[in-house]
Amino acid sequence: MKKTLLALVVTNTLIITGCSTVPVESNSKSAALKSFSAPTQGRSNIYIYRTNSILGAALKKDIWVDNECIGESARGIFFYHEVQGNKKHSISTESEFSPNSLVIDMKPGSSYFIEQYMKPGLFVGGANLKQVSTEEGKKEVSLLSLAKKGNCSSK
């Protein structure tokens, strides 16, 4: 029993403190999106990011917008996605037992910032999403790298 518990604690510690990476876009493409330009007319911008937090650094978690794979997240990255305005959109992330989602009514011409954050789980860390202010989102995204879209583990 003690050995099983110890193995579980060691495994969770490694998962929580390890590191993982995903493919990233060029610095120039990342810098262009960090100018936070207005979206195409009638559309909305979505920036989904994960900070450089150590918690869950070894975990990669899929992100979906309206059931479309945006990509697999990792520590220190962001995704950019443009959607139709005047419509509700669902942003989801996989978690330990089931997906977690936000539904946001997006206005045309607006930018939305969604933070994906890791949380401790029973067997492996989970993920959740929260909408943050434009100011906070711009500040965080400006420190991160743009991830390549379309690589989800559960396509």
Side-chain angles (χ1 to χ4, degrees), residues 103-117:
V103 176
I104 302 172
D105 189 5
M106 299 194 178
K107 307 295 181 222
S110 298
S111 293
Y112 296 85
F113 293 86
I114 311 300
E115 179 183 0
Q116 180 196 49
Y117 61 94

Side-chain angles (χ1 to χ4, degrees), residues 15-32:
I15 288 171
I16 289 172
T17 60
C19 220
S20 93
T21 60
V22 295
V24 294
E25 295 285 359
S26 68
N27 288 338
S28 60
K29 190 169 185 178
S30 183

Side-chain angles (χ1 to χ4, degrees), residues 35-81:
S35 70
F36 306 107
S37 300
T40 308
Q41 186 167 350
R43 301 186 63 81
S44 303
N45 292 333
I46 305 174
Y47 290 86
I48 306 167
Y49 69 90
R50 191 165 143 193
T51 65
N52 276 312
S53 171
I54 293 174
L55 182 65
L59 299 175
K60 295 187 219 179
K61 297 289 184 178
D62 291 347
I63 298 172
W64 302 80
V65 173
D66 299 329
N67 297 316
E68 177 186 344
C69 167
I70 299 303
E72 206 172 33
S73 73
R75 177 179 176 219
I77 63 94
F78 77 96
F79 290 99
Y80 170 83
H81 190 66

